[in-house]
């Protein structure tokens, strides 16, 4: 497999990646950041998987059940056929809350003939650190490890358990099921109960998607991205994950391999802003509660990231026994970046707070806590905005005065002023408005490079950086401002490669970047649209969409030459930017622009 040809299933507690041939190659239970039970993704020999093998006469296709997170893998040779419907149960309980057990159900739907297959069931618990032994019991199959840590995994099925464990040929004559569970079941499952779980989960997703507005164009792409973002939310705390995986490399064979199963304030806030725009306000409410719970002290500085259960210490370790994705070591768990200082997170958080107040001002909870957080953020920004930091790209060596960080410090104050006005707390404005003006003047003076004719990566630098494209969406500068237009053109000249963008091209801690950062290309396309180059933007967007995998999913990076997906997967950053771009490009068609122009001409003639 030369691409990240995986589908994601999940239930807002954990997730699993399933290959285009129906193999579960990545899953952590009971939660997103738990140890893996299947990790073939990170080591093809010892990682562990749960797949199906058929002979060469079968064709295998895969799709999502429309507007759901249920993945359908179809096996057919023209006569013999069956489907695997994969999902993690999620639905409303009778008396409130959600049923989201740490389980995967694989419902085998018999279709025709006498389909035959063997099962490759090889769980490797605790990141495959020790030996995992599998035993057949009366009611289930249990896998156990107790060398490094004690852990168990249960498999229920109505197929022959000996045939499953020992990879003997199975002939399917009727519907069947597998249930993989972290916990032993109190009541024994059966195929009818598995089907009921399927129907309940399907209804949940159809109802959730019914709240999402339809657009003239790109509706399917928007919907799939919205479901993917929902799958990366963690109900228990309100956290939003950056991705479902760890250690998928930005470039094959290199060491830019990080654990993304955490909640970055920046990524999560951007996701919440986009999903709120689509009408899903509960995600925003839970996330704000997550933030409120994290800041007990009025002067406590935010970390850039937290564990999904609000952990503040995310010690980074390497799993040297795993060979890594396509041999790309090291495999990391934890992320040392939690200790970094990145001043942009305050502006991004204030932006989502402001959006929450604007979108749901008649339904605001925790208003007093939000106002306390707002004042605390202004206090921190006022004290620290002149300091250097690690920046959005988390450089692990020197700190600099990054333009994006400075712009987001300005955003923090700008949005705080707007929040104060909404809440009627205008007495603060006499101090906050001069601070906003001071930060903006500093940026205009020091971030603009006259020689390069662009806003550059950091003060005094000649290097360009895709993150400065966000100066316009965050309201710092108008899209038609000559300096912004010139910056977009400069970034296109220096950072674009066949329509894909580098984040930057200057050396970082690990040398020169060698893959495209997917969100940057979306930012660039948005910027082209905003400066008036709509047709070029649409052409590049359509081209970029063609680089998704077979299910419309994106990872963090794309290889410039092969266009294969790289980096952690699926990436929340990429899908939130896809939604934003698709909505922008859905607004105006060429036909509509011609009609508008004709109307303008008629209006002008009427006034002559």
């Amino acid at each position: 497999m030369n691409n990240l040809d995986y589908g994601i299933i999940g239930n807002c507690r954990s997730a699993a990646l399933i290959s285009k041939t129906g193999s579960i190659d990545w899953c952590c239970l009971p939660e997103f950041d738990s140890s893996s039970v299947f990790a073939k993704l990170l080591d093809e020999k010892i990682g562990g998987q749960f797949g199906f093998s058929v002979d060469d006469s079968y064709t295998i296709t895969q799709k999502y059940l429309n507007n759901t997170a249920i993945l359908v893998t179809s096996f057919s040779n023209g006569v013999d056929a069956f489907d695997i419907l994969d999902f993690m149960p999620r639905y409303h309980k009778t008396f409130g809350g959600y049923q989201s057990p740490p389980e995967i159900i694989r419902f085998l739907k018999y279709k025709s003939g006498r389909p035959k297959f063997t099962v490759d069931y090889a769980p490797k618990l605790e990141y495959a650190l020790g030996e995992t032994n599998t035993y057949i019991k009366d009611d289930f199959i249990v896998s156990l490890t107790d060398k490094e840590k004690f852990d168990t995994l249960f498999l229920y099925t109505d197929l022959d358990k000996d045939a499953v464990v020992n990879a003997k040929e199975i002939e399917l004559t009727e519907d069947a099921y597998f249930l993989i569970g972290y916990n032993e079941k109190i009541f024994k499952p059966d195929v009818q109960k598995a089907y009921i779980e399927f129907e309940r989960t399907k209804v949940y997703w159809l109802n959730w998607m019914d709240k999402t507005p339809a657009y003239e164009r790109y509706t399917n792409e928007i919907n799939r991205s919205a479901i993917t973002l929902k799958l990366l939310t963690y109900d228990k705390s309100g956290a939003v994950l950056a991705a479902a995986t760890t250690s998928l490399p930005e470039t094959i064979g290199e060491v830019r391999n990080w654990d993304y199963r955490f909640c970055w304030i920046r990524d999560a806030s951007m996701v919440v802003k986009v999903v709120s725009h689509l009408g899903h306000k509960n995600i925003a409410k839970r996330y704000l509660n997550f933030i409120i719970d994290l800041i007990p002290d009025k002067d406590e500085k935010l970390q850039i990231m937290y564990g999904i259960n609000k952990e503040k210490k995310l010690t980074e370790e390497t799993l040297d026994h795993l060979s890594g994705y396509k041999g790309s070591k090291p495999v990391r768990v934890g992320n040392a970046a939690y200790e970094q200082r990145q001043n942009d997170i305050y502006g991004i958080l204030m932006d989502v707070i402001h959006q929450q107040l604007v979108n749901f001002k008649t339904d605001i909870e925790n208003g007093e806590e939000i106002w306390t957080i707002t004042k605390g953020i202004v206090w921190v920004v006022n004290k620290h905005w002149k300091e250097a930091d690690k920046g959005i790209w988390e450089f692990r060596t020197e700190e600099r005065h990054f333009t994006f960080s400075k712009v987001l410090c300005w955003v923090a104050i700008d949005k705080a002023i707007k929040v104060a006005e909404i809440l009627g707390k205008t007495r603060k404005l006499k101090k906050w408005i001069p601070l906003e003006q001071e930060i903006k003047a500093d940026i205009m003076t020091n971030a603009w490079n006259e020689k390069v004719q662009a806003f550059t990566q950091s003060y005094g630098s000649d290097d360009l950086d895709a993150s400065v494209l966000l100066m316009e969406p965050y309201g710092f500068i108008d899209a038609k401002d000559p300096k912004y237009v010139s910056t977009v053109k400069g970034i296109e000249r220096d950072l674009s490669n066949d329509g894909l963008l580098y984040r930057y091209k200057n050396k970082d801690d690990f040398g020169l970047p060698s893959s495209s950062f997917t969100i940057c290309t979306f930012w660039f396309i948005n910027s082209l649209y905003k400066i008036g180059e709509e047709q070029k933007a649409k052409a590049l967007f359509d081209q970029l969409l063609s680089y998704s995998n077979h299910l419309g999913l994106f990872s963090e990076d794309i290889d410039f030459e092969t266009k294969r997906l790289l980096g952690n997967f699926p990436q929340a950053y990429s899908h939130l930017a896809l939604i934003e771009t698709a909505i922008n490009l859905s607004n105006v068609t060429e036909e509509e622009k011609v009609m508008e122009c004709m109307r303008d001409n008629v209006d002008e003639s009427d006034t002559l």
Side-chain angles (χ1 to χ4, degrees):
M1 187 175 293
N2 292 321
N3 201 10
L4 286 169
D5 287 325
Y6 287 95
I8 182 174
I9 61 171
N11 60 3
C12 303
R13 180 172 181 176
S14 187
L17 297 187
I18 301 173
S19 76
K20 63 181 178 181
T21 59
S23 176
I24 302 177
D25 288 355
W26 177 254
C27 181
C28 300
L29 292 176
E31 297 177 334
F32 287 108
D33 59 352
S34 301
S35 300
S36 63
V37 296
F38 302 112
K40 183 179 179 181
L41 187 66
L42 296 180
D43 193 306
E44 295 187 10
K45 292 182 179 179
I46 69 167
Q49 72 282 335
F50 181 5
F52 298 84
S53 296
V54 293
D55 65 42
D56 292 341
S57 68
Y58 285 83
T59 298
I60 307 174
T61 58
Q62 194 174 62
K63 66 179 182 179
Y64 279 105
L65 203 61
N66 192 41
N67 283 342
T68 77
I70 298 170
L71 189 64
V72 183
T73 309
S74 300
F75 296 76
S76 176
N77 61 12
V79 177
D80 312 307
F82 68 100
D83 290 343
I84 303 172
L85 285 69
D86 282 310
F87 62 97
M88 298 184 77
R90 179 173 174 81
Y91 51 86
H92 292 278
K93 294 180 181 178
T94 304
F95 300 106
Y98 296 95
Q99 180 74 2
S100 297
E103 298 172 359
I104 299 170
I105 292 178
R106 316 200 74 178
F107 190 87
L108 277 62
K109 181 69 177 174
Y110 171 79
K111 294 175 75 175
S112 65
R114 305 175 73 89
K116 298 175 182 177
F117 57 83
T118 58
V119 176
D120 182 8
Y121 184 66
K124 302 291 182 182
L125 309 184
E126 294 293 328
Y127 297 117
L129 270 168
E131 185 179 3
T132 297
N133 295 304
T134 296
Y135 305 97
I136 299 173
K137 303 295 184 180
D138 289 342
D139 292 339
F140 52 77
I141 297 164
V142 62
S143 299
L144 181 149
T145 184
D146 59 4
K147 293 292 184 352
E148 299 291 329
K149 293 181 179 178
F150 175 75
D151 205 357
T152 53
L153 186 72
F154 298 88
L155 178 67
Y156 293 84
T157 183
D158 54 354
L159 296 174
D160 182 86
K161 292 190 284 294
D162 178 68
V164 170
V165 170
N166 294 299
K168 296 177 182 178
E169 187 173 77
I170 295 172
E171 182 178 293
L172 193 67
T173 57
E174 59 185 351
D175 294 348
Y177 82 99
F178 291 97
L179 186 153
I180 311 155
Y182 183 74
N183 301 311
E184 183 179 346
K185 305 295 288 183
I186 300 297
F187 301 104
K188 185 180 177 182
D190 57 37
V191 69
Q192 184 176 358
K193 291 175 183 174
Y195 184 74
I196 291 171
E197 294 287 280
F198 162 75
E199 288 291 346
R200 287 170 170 164
T201 300
K202 180 176 73 172
V203 167
Y204 166 81
W205 285 109
L206 291 175
N207 285 335
W208 190 83
M209 282 305 301
D210 191 50
K211 301 173 186 175
T212 305
Y215 292 87
E216 285 292 319
R217 286 157 288 279
Y218 304 116
T219 291
N220 290 337
E221 290 82 359
I222 290 169
N223 288 351
R224 182 50 49 199
S225 291
I227 290 172
T228 302
L229 294 179
K230 175 65 173 174
L231 288 172
L232 293 173
T233 65
Y234 180 61
D235 258 2
K236 183 178 176 182
S237 68
V240 181
L241 283 79
T245 57
T246 179
S247 303
L248 297 187
E250 296 177 22
T251 302
I252 301 296
E254 291 192 2
V255 298
R256 300 172 191 261
N257 315 327
W258 318 111
D259 192 346
Y260 275 17
R261 297 171 298 160
F262 303 112
C263 183
W264 270 257
I265 297 299
R266 178 193 309 109
D267 302 41
S269 297
M270 289 180 174
V271 167
V272 166
K273 182 180 177 182
V274 167
V275 177
S276 296
H277 181 74
L278 296 177
H280 298 289
K281 61 182 181 180
N282 285 336
I283 289 177
K285 285 183 177 180
R286 283 196 292 268
Y287 177 66
L288 282 181
N289 287 334
F290 176 77
I291 295 297
I292 289 167
D293 290 346
L294 282 171
I295 313 178
D297 300 320
K298 294 180 181 179
D299 64 345
E300 183 173 343
K301 294 177 68 175
L302 274 173
Q303 292 181 190
I304 67 163
M305 59 192 289
Y306 295 88
I308 59 173
N309 284 301
K310 305 172 189 172
E311 300 93 338
K312 296 184 178 182
K313 188 174 182 180
L314 308 174
T315 305
E316 187 175 299
E317 302 173 359
T318 60
L319 301 177
D320 296 326
H321 66 291
L322 295 175
S323 62
Y325 178 78
K326 304 299 180 186
S328 302
K329 300 183 79 167
V331 172
R332 306 177 200 259
V333 291
N335 197 311
Y338 80 93
E339 296 181 296
Q340 291 187 1
R341 178 172 65 191
Q342 295 173 20
N343 293 333
D344 63 290
I345 62 173
Y346 299 103
I348 287 166
L349 181 57
M350 275 310 310
D351 185 53
V352 80
I353 289 173
H354 173 249
Q355 286 294 321
Q356 173 81 338
L357 288 172
V358 169
N359 293 337
F360 310 119
K361 55 190 172 190
T362 60
D363 189 23
I364 282 297
E365 298 175 0
N366 304 314
E368 292 173 358
E369 289 93 339
I370 287 172
W371 178 235
T372 296
I373 289 175
T374 299
K375 291 188 293 182
I377 286 175
V378 173
W379 184 88
V380 171
V381 171
N382 182 43
K383 189 173 182 180
H384 297 288
W385 74 269
K386 294 181 181 180
E387 299 171 1
D389 71 347
K390 297 292 188 182
I392 183 174
W393 307 127
E394 297 179 358
F395 289 97
R396 292 196 168 198
T397 51
E398 63 176 310
E399 294 188 341
R400 296 184 226 162
H401 294 279
F402 288 101
T403 299
F404 181 77
S405 296
K406 303 295 185 186
V407 169
L408 268 294
C409 285
W410 173 86
V411 170
I413 308 305
D414 176 65
K415 299 301 182 185
I417 290 169
K418 291 178 169 63
V419 166
E421 291 170 342
I422 290 171
L423 297 178
K425 298 291 187 179
T426 53
R427 61 185 174 83
K428 290 287 186 182
L429 300 190
K430 62 182 180 181
K431 291 183 178 179
W432 292 2
I433 290 174
L435 175 60
E436 178 219 5
Q437 294 170 342
E438 180 187 1
I439 297 173
K440 185 162 192 173
D442 186 77
I443 295 166
M444 296 301 291
T445 300
N446 294 303
W448 175 258
N449 186 308
E450 191 66 29
K451 181 179 72 174
V452 180
Q453 285 294 294
F455 292 103
T456 55
Q457 183 180 72
S458 57
Y459 287 7
S461 168
D462 291 340
D463 297 313
L464 294 180
D465 190 305
S467 66
V468 302
L469 294 170
L470 295 182
M471 297 173 82
E472 186 275 334
Y474 278 111
F476 182 84
I477 194 169
D478 188 85
K480 300 301 193 292
D481 188 296
K483 287 188 174 181
Y484 184 73
V485 174
S486 180
T487 298
V488 174
K489 294 294 188 182
I491 285 174
E492 179 176 20
R493 180 187 65 244
D494 286 9
L495 299 185
S496 179
N497 181 343
D498 192 26
L500 296 175
L501 248 68
Y502 289 91
R503 286 178 285 182
Y504 47 83
K505 287 178 77 173
N506 47 302
K507 283 187 177 181
D508 59 20
D509 313 322
F510 303 98
L512 291 172
S514 55
S515 60
S516 171
F517 204 65
T518 308
I519 194 173
C520 295
T521 306
F522 285 119
W523 290 344
F524 173 59
I525 292 167
N526 264 326
S527 298
L528 287 176
Y529 172 79
K530 292 291 187 66
I531 68 173
E533 298 191 15
E534 292 98 337
Q535 292 307 302
K536 180 191 273 189
K538 186 177 184 304
L540 286 176
F541 185 62
D542 291 339
Q543 174 181 290
L544 181 55
L545 290 180
S546 74
Y547 300 150
S548 74
N549 75 3
H550 63 300
L551 296 168
L553 302 181
F554 281 96
S555 61
E556 182 182 38
D557 305 272
I558 298 174
D559 184 87
F560 283 114
E561 298 300 323
T562 65
K563 308 301 188 287
R564 72 183 289 174
L565 301 179
L566 296 166
N568 282 305
F569 175 90
Q571 180 82 355
Y573 239 2
S574 300
H575 283 280
L576 72 88
L578 187 158
I579 292 173
E580 286 182 318
T581 311
I583 290 173
N584 279 336
L585 296 179
S586 292
N587 287 336
V588 183
T589 64
E590 193 61 32
E591 180 181 352
E592 289 164 343
K593 286 195 294 182
V594 170
M595 294 298 293
E596 185 177 345
C597 183
M598 291 172 64
R599 285 194 297 271
D600 290 343
N601 290 336
V602 169
D603 292 341
E604 282 186 26
S605 65
D606 286 345
T607 60
L608 293 176

